Amino acid sequence: GVGGQYLISGFSIERRPIVSSFFILLFLGCAATAYPPPTVMGGFQEGTNEREFGGILWTQFAEEDSLIVSDHRLSSMTFGLTETNASWENGAEIITGTSDEALAAGEKLLTPRAGIKPVSYIMLSNEMQEGVALLQWDPAKELTGEAKSKFTDNEDFPLWFDNGDLKVMRMRNSDT
């Protein structure tokens, strides 16, 4: 912009192409490293993709006052984009526990904004399965074993939305 023009004009004409090249490389370097890979971030995925946005925007059609359980990243996006109640780190037992533990925890879940509520839906993305980040300062851990398999083809968590990257499942014991 204008500031860049004034900055470059402060250098001699011979040095301006070098200074301009340096700032272009600096800009491109910043753009290329804006979203570091999850391995650098303790397994936490920075950013999102178009399909995750689509799934999150779908939640605005859920019943009023619904509670959606997901990891910290998707909870933040769900609440921020649709103002739907989200679990943030409070849904750990539902996501990482066994099916019985998840169903029991889902009957009354304490949430940061909505208080104690029954869970309506569980949101699970492909990225989240590779690294569940419940607390933003703890390393993300892969979803494995029964914690992962409990969300596939069963009556406890019937699938309500699937766009190939993000799934939204209904909580069986939900009152909403």
Side-chain angles (χ1 to χ4, degrees), residues 7-59:
L7 175 70
I8 291 172
S9 68
F11 292 93
S12 66
I13 292 177
E14 299 84 32
R15 290 184 170 256
R16 288 181 187 172
I18 295 169
V19 172
S20 296
S21 298
F22 170 76
F23 281 107
I24 289 170
L25 288 173
L26 180 65
F27 176 77
L28 292 175
C30 289
T33 60
Y35 293 114
T39 53
V40 174
M41 300 295 293
F44 189 79
Q45 174 64 39
E46 287 288 333
T48 191
N49 63 49
E50 188 175 314
R51 288 183 165 223
E52 286 178 333
F53 271 124
I56 289 163
L57 293 176
W58 178 86
T59 65

Side-chain angles (χ1 to χ4, degrees), residues 17 111 131 139 146 157 160 171:
T111 66
E146 188 180 349
F157 309 99
W160 279 51
M171 188 76 157

